[in-house]
Amino acid sequence: MENVSESQHQEDHKEHGAIAVSHFHTHSIPLDMEDIERDWDKPIAEAGIAAKASVIVRVGLLDLSAGTGSFRVREMMHRIAYPLGVHVRADVNLTDIEAACTDGKDRITEVIDLPSTGVNTERIWLLEHFADWFSVNLGEESMYHVQPEVSQGLMQHLDAKDASQVSADLSKQLRKEEKEEKASSRPGQDAVLDALEDASRHVDPGDPRAHQLHVHETDWSQSAMAQSLAARAADEQAREAEQTAEQAAETRRTPASDAMESDFPDHAAESSDKPSRLRGPKATKATKAANRKPPKEYAEHFDHLDNASGANGNGGRGITVRQAHQRLDMIEHRKPLYSPAFAGLASAIACASFVFLLGGGPYDMVGAFVGAGLGHWLRRLLFKRHLNQFFVTFVCVALAALACTGTLRLIGLFDPIALQHDTAYIGAMLFVIPGFPLITSGLDMAKIDFPSGIQRLAYFLCIVLMATLAGWMVASIVHLNPTGFEPLGLNVWVNGALRFVFAFLGVWGFSIMFNSPQRMCLVAATIGAITDTLRLEIVDHGVPAEAGAFIGALLAGLLATAWRSSVRKGWLAPHFGYPRICLTVPSIVIMVPGLYMYQAMFHLGSFDTLTALDWAFKAFMVIICLPIGLAMARVITDKSWRYDI
């Protein structure tokens, strides 16, 4: 009976693993599924190439689905592959990835595709933390954040609705500990501080491995503190003994054993060594990192994990394939931060602000507010049903234009002058502008990735075509004739101040639509308020609109880089280390000439081809200057962009 029960348990476990693996390959060709299933509970550094590739490519897939460009997708995949000793070469397009992975012994090719595309800046940010958590716990240094303890703690609390608040709380705790440590006259004077330090900080400054953050453990008894201090002393003695034994074994090694070393490090193996390409102090640090014991557990909400890996001789060392996929699963299935109603409100604020920046007055802003709010609210509801993007764009833009026009006609019953604001409905359509594909298409082409760049540009043009076509049809039905906005006649200083305020609100609204956490929204809004106000002011002083767009985008890129550098240098709290693309794109989306593009379509529909071409070329010149400005900022501040290697 015991044998039957055990075999039944193994069959159930096997079936569960197969279901999980097939789930992670929904949009891919299922290669070597049994290999992944067999390694499901192995440390990923000891797993086969199929299991390793399943994590590497899935990270790329999630990053691609969040709307980022191909260069960032490749960078993220390389970051995951490096500590696993895997080389990966990927062909990344708008909705698909073809990746070839090899560990020097085996090779596998994964082909995956997405049914659609979208934008989710929270996911881009969380994947950066996942990459740091993954690398640090496999013995490598963090790449995106200087304090990997924040990433470690954040990966433990992916079930929290507001991950940004979790990150802020962890950052505050770390900064508080650092201040208390500096204020302490002797290390070890405060037992509570020592215990917290043991749980959340590096023992050795040269050790790149992050230890688990027990952020919920606030009740430290005296016996627990004593046990923690004793355990730390025992660990240090054991570590010194291991290093001494390793040095003795190193001296006894033969040249033949050196020749048999693998070309890739395996940090989860019992007797792993760094590859021969590491020499000097770096090799010493890497050897110490390899001998560190990783945390026994990684998240409190993963307590249901099978303990078979520890019984099989792995000792819980390293991140298992299951644990990596479970974290990616939680990142993938996080609910949107904002409800459709709140997202519609943010869209309404963004488009109303956009109208003011284009020169519209109060009535224009009210009409755009109502139309854009209803349009984006409906778009969120339709996207939940996975309807075709182009169909959804057409329907929602038509609703926005009709709602805007109806609102102005209703106001016209009380103030007839509102009936003269025929241009306001263009502002109500601007919530559908696909800013992320537009900007990332230019950045991809700047990195000589033309297939991805051209696909993203084509997607942008298709969305704009559907939106402008829907707006033109509504204008033809209700007999609208957009001639532009009337001058407001405001004082120069008042106009500049209002531009700053509404640019801030506009970028904040677009950031909400991109599912950015509130702190990220505020940072992007500040950058956008500065850059867009400057752009509009210099254009008023005679600078061409194209040059103004280039300067605004360049400044946005430089400010985002300066913000990120300030975080890395410790001038700002570590939880403010947001990806550059999550700050720059929302801040310059408000510079996209949606009015120009619609005017081109309107005059084209009226067969006024010369005027349509004039507006189209104006829009084209501004559009190409935006990604060029961002790319130039990256070239100035980033060596990987400055040189072609």
Side-chain angles (χ1 to χ4, degrees):
M1 291 295 293
E2 292 181 359
N3 294 334
V4 174
S5 177
E6 183 178 355
S7 62
Q8 182 65 33
H9 173 73
Q10 291 177 353
E11 288 296 326
D12 293 342
H13 179 71
K14 181 177 180 180
E15 181 180 0
H16 174 73
I19 294 173
V21 171
S22 63
H23 169 71
F24 298 134
H25 288 70
T26 303
H27 299 290
S28 69
I29 298 176
L31 301 177
D32 293 315
M33 301 284 282
E34 293 183 357
D35 289 347
I36 303 175
E37 177 193 340
R38 182 188 62 231
D39 295 338
W40 197 238
D41 288 308
K42 276 188 180 180
I44 191 169
E46 298 178 359
I49 186 63
K52 292 178 180 177
S54 69
V55 175
I56 295 169
V57 179
R58 191 182 181 202
V59 169
L61 176 67
L62 291 179
D63 219 19
L64 183 65
S65 68
T68 189
S70 64
F71 70 96
R72 277 188 58 89
V73 174
R74 288 194 185 92
E75 178 186 274
M76 188 66 67
M77 293 172 68
H78 281 296
R79 189 59 186 166
I80 300 300
Y82 178 75
L84 298 177
V86 174
H87 292 288
V88 57
R89 290 294 179 267
D91 184 14
V92 182
N93 295 310
L94 177 65
T95 58
D96 63 272
I97 301 175
E98 181 178 353
C101 303
T102 178
D103 59 359
K105 298 176 295 183
D106 301 306
R107 179 177 297 173
I108 190 170
T109 299
E110 287 257 15
V111 181
I112 59 176
D113 65 274
L114 292 168
S116 183
T117 184
V119 179
N120 189 339
T121 51
E122 186 203 34
R123 180 177 293 179
I124 298 174
W125 171 63
L126 288 176
L127 285 173
E128 278 197 356
H129 282 288
F130 174 86
D132 276 351
W133 167 81
F134 189 87
S135 298
V136 168
N137 281 283
L138 288 178
E140 299 296 336
E141 294 183 356
S142 61
M143 177 178 179
Y144 299 105
H145 305 93
V146 293
Q147 287 192 312
E149 295 91 346
V150 176
S151 300
Q152 182 81 0
L154 192 57
M155 289 300 104
Q156 296 174 355
H157 297 86
L158 288 172
D159 53 345
K161 178 177 176 57
D162 189 356
S164 177
Q165 184 60 47
V166 173
S167 176
D169 293 340
L170 292 170
S171 175
K172 183 183 296 185
Q173 178 185 355
L174 289 172
R175 289 168 71 88
K176 180 180 179 181
E177 292 172 7
E178 289 176 357
K179 290 181 180 179
E180 291 177 354
E181 182 181 5
K182 291 179 180 179
S184 178
S185 59
R186 294 195 313 261
Q189 181 178 2
D190 189 344
V192 176
L193 180 60
D194 288 347
L196 287 173
E197 180 184 5
D198 180 66
S200 60
R201 300 187 70 251
H202 299 315
V203 178
D204 181 3
D207 176 23
R209 188 184 301 270
H211 297 277
Q212 183 184 10
L213 283 171
H214 300 277
V215 294
H216 294 303
E217 295 180 4
T218 56
D219 184 16
W220 291 80
S221 64
Q222 193 69 24
S223 59
M225 285 185 279
Q227 292 175 3
S228 177
L229 294 173
R232 183 172 64 174
D235 287 343
E236 291 178 354
Q237 293 177 0
R239 193 175 300 115
E240 292 176 358
E242 289 179 1
Q243 292 176 0
T244 304
E246 183 185 358
Q247 292 175 0
E250 188 75 20
T251 58
R252 294 194 299 268
R253 289 179 58 191
T254 62
S257 64
D258 290 336
M260 295 174 62
E261 282 188 351
S262 172
D263 288 337
F264 302 102
D266 187 350
H267 295 285
E270 289 289 339
S271 58
S272 61
D273 295 311
K274 296 295 283 186
S276 57
R277 53 188 167 85
L278 294 177
R279 292 289 183 262
K282 290 185 178 180
T284 303
K285 291 181 179 180
T287 303
K288 291 181 179 179
N291 289 327
R292 298 285 186 182
K293 293 183 178 180
K296 294 181 180 179
E297 56 185 358
Y298 293 91
E300 292 181 2
H301 52 265
F302 290 151
D303 289 339
H304 61 279
L305 292 178
D306 195 340
N307 295 324
S309 60
N312 292 335
N314 296 329
R317 296 174 62 85
I319 299 170
T320 66
V321 178
R322 179 196 294 268
Q323 290 169 331
H325 274 301
Q326 283 177 322
R327 278 161 179 77
L328 292 175
D329 195 39
M330 297 186 74
I331 292 175
E332 179 180 3
H333 294 98
R334 283 182 61 83
K335 293 182 179 180
L337 294 174
Y338 310 104
S339 65
F342 188 83
L345 175 62
S347 173
I349 294 173
C351 290
S353 302
F354 210 150
V355 166
F356 176 84
L357 297 175
L358 292 173
Y363 286 148
D364 301 305
M365 296 174 66
V366 170
F369 182 92
V370 175
L374 289 176
H376 187 65
W377 169 77
L378 178 63
R379 184 167 72 152
R380 280 286 301 271
L381 294 180
L382 295 180
F383 277 160
K384 276 187 175 182
R385 300 182 178 274
H386 305 286
L387 294 177
N388 181 272
Q389 284 201 32
F390 300 111
F391 168 76
V392 171
T393 299
F394 188 93
V395 171
C396 294
V397 167
L399 173 65
L402 289 172
C404 176
T405 304
T407 300
L408 292 176
R409 297 287 170 88
L410 183 62
I411 297 175
L413 297 176
F414 304 94
D415 188 358
I417 197 173
L419 299 175
Q420 302 176 10
H421 293 264
D422 283 350
T423 313
Y425 77 97
I426 300 177
M429 301 162 37
L430 299 179
F431 66 92
V432 299
I433 290 180
F436 253 84
L438 170 63
I439 303 304
T440 54
S441 70
L443 295 177
D444 284 346
M445 286 189 277
K447 296 290 285 185
I448 320 296
D449 190 352
F450 289 102
S452 176
I454 292 174
Q455 287 185 25
R456 292 174 185 277
L457 182 60
Y459 171 78
F460 166 80
L461 293 177
C462 289
I463 293 293
V464 170
L465 178 63
M466 294 300 296
T468 53
L469 183 62
W472 171 76
M473 291 182 64
V474 171
S476 300
I477 293 172
V478 299
H479 304 290
L480 297 176
N481 184 25
T483 57
F485 298 106
E486 294 293 330
L488 298 178
L490 297 175
N491 177 273
V492 175
W493 294 101
V494 173
N495 191 38
L498 290 176
R499 280 175 170 174
F500 185 90
V501 171
F502 285 112
F504 182 93
L505 293 175
V507 176
W508 176 85
F510 279 114
S511 297
I512 294 293
M513 293 164 61
F514 295 152
N515 199 47
S516 299
Q518 278 296 327
R519 291 176 177 83
M520 189 187 297
C521 292
L522 296 177
V523 175
T526 302
I527 294 174
I530 295 171
T531 56
D532 198 55
T533 302
L534 174 65
R535 175 185 70 93
L536 294 173
E537 291 297 325
I538 62 177
V539 169
D540 285 348
H541 285 77
V543 176
E546 301 82 6
F550 172 81
I551 294 172
L554 175 66
L555 181 59
L558 295 176
L559 288 176
T561 301
W563 178 272
R564 181 126 176 162
S565 298
S566 299
V567 175
R568 293 190 66 85
K569 293 179 180 178
W571 300 341
L572 295 172
H575 65 281
F576 286 123
Y578 302 123
R580 275 185 292 256
I581 196 170
C582 297
L583 302 178
T584 54
V585 175
S587 64
I588 68 173
V589 163
I590 206 166
M591 303 180 190
V592 176
L595 177 62
Y596 292 1
M597 292 184 288
Y598 177 77
Q599 289 282 16
M601 175 57 70
F602 179 83
H603 290 289
L604 185 62
S606 303
F607 298 100
D608 187 359
T609 54
L610 291 179
T611 306
L613 286 175
D614 183 53
W615 282 107
F617 277 111
K618 287 180 180 179
F620 173 75
M621 291 302 296
V622 174
I623 285 173
I624 65 173
C625 286
L626 292 175
I628 289 176
L630 278 187
M632 192 63 65
R634 292 298 296 265
V635 169
I636 294 172
T637 59
D638 192 338
K639 290 182 180 180
S640 65
W641 283 69
R642 195 175 308 150
Y643 302 102
D644 291 330
I645 54 174

